[in-house]
Amino acid sequence: LTYIPDFCSANATLEIIYIGFNEISSVTEGDISCLKVLTHLGLNNNPLLFLSDLRRLVPSLSTLYVRQIPFTCCVAIAWMKDIDIEIDSDITPCKWPPSLIGTKWSTISKNELNGLSCGDAGEYTGIESFHQVCIVHASTESLIESQFLGQLAPKSVIICV
């Protein structure tokens, strides 16, 4: 996948989406703003350079999975430091600017990110594509272990295509 599929028809029930291991380069307002009850979004292993303020687009979002995404650490992702959203990320996710490469995410402050222009971070091409979409739909009565959540997701079923 190179884009986020249209999930708007399930906007009242879709709580968890995992679309990791793809070639998604951006998440736009049109992609997810219709998802009124989305609580978990898994974007692991996608070649995202910048990530829009998803809190603003989906206020119900509580957990964002962004492992293996080499971020341009700048003002554009400062929102990720807010405490009202759980960020599951690599310990040192910054691939730019050079001053933050190898710096632990936990030690980078929101003020520090707000003070960094996003500038020209260059192109990132290091993600291998696995083309998998997993949708967890909350309307069934199943219990299924969700590998990307690492816990049991009650009343959920995972569909991978």
Side-chain angles (χ1 to χ4, degrees):
L1 286 175
T2 57
Y3 60 92
I4 295 178
D6 183 1
F7 293 120
C8 291
S9 62
N11 70 340
T13 57
L14 190 58
E15 294 179 355
I16 301 170
I17 298 174
Y18 182 71
I19 47 179
F21 297 93
N22 285 289
E23 294 293 328
I24 296 170
S25 60
S26 67
V27 178
T28 67
E29 184 171 352
D31 294 331
I32 62 169
S33 63
C34 65
L35 302 174
K36 302 302 180 199
V37 296
L38 184 68
T39 59
H40 293 73
L41 179 59
L43 296 171
N44 297 343
N45 294 78
N46 276 292
L48 297 171
L49 285 176
F50 300 101
L51 193 57
S52 297
D53 185 346
L54 300 180
R55 283 172 323 158
R56 182 183 58 78
L57 300 177
V58 184
S60 59
L61 189 66
S62 62
T63 307
L64 176 63
Y65 299 93
V66 290
R67 288 199 179 277
Q68 299 299 313
I69 295 177
F71 283 110
T72 296
C73 292
C74 61
V75 67
I77 65 166
W79 65 270
M80 291 172 59
K81 296 301 284 188
D82 288 340
I83 59 172
D84 63 338
I85 188 167
E86 178 186 333
I87 304 293
D88 174 20
S89 68
D90 295 315
I91 293 172
T92 57
C94 300
K95 74 131 190 140
W96 191 89
S99 63
L100 291 180
I101 294 172
T103 303
K104 290 183 180 179
W105 180 249
S106 62
T107 66
I108 301 169
S109 72
K110 183 175 182 176
N111 286 340
E112 187 174 3
L113 292 172
N114 279 329
L116 293 171
S117 169
C118 296
D120 179 18
E123 290 293 317
Y124 178 75
T125 59
I127 299 293
E128 184 177 346
S129 177
F130 291 93
H131 304 290
Q132 181 182 41
V133 174
C134 297
I135 303 168
V136 180
H137 197 275
S139 65
T140 65
E141 295 298 322
S142 303
L143 275 179
I144 190 161
E145 184 171 353
S146 170
Q147 182 179 1
F148 73 96
L149 290 176
Q151 60 190 12
L152 291 178
K155 298 183 180 178
S156 301
V157 65
I158 297 178
I159 303 166
C160 298
V161 292

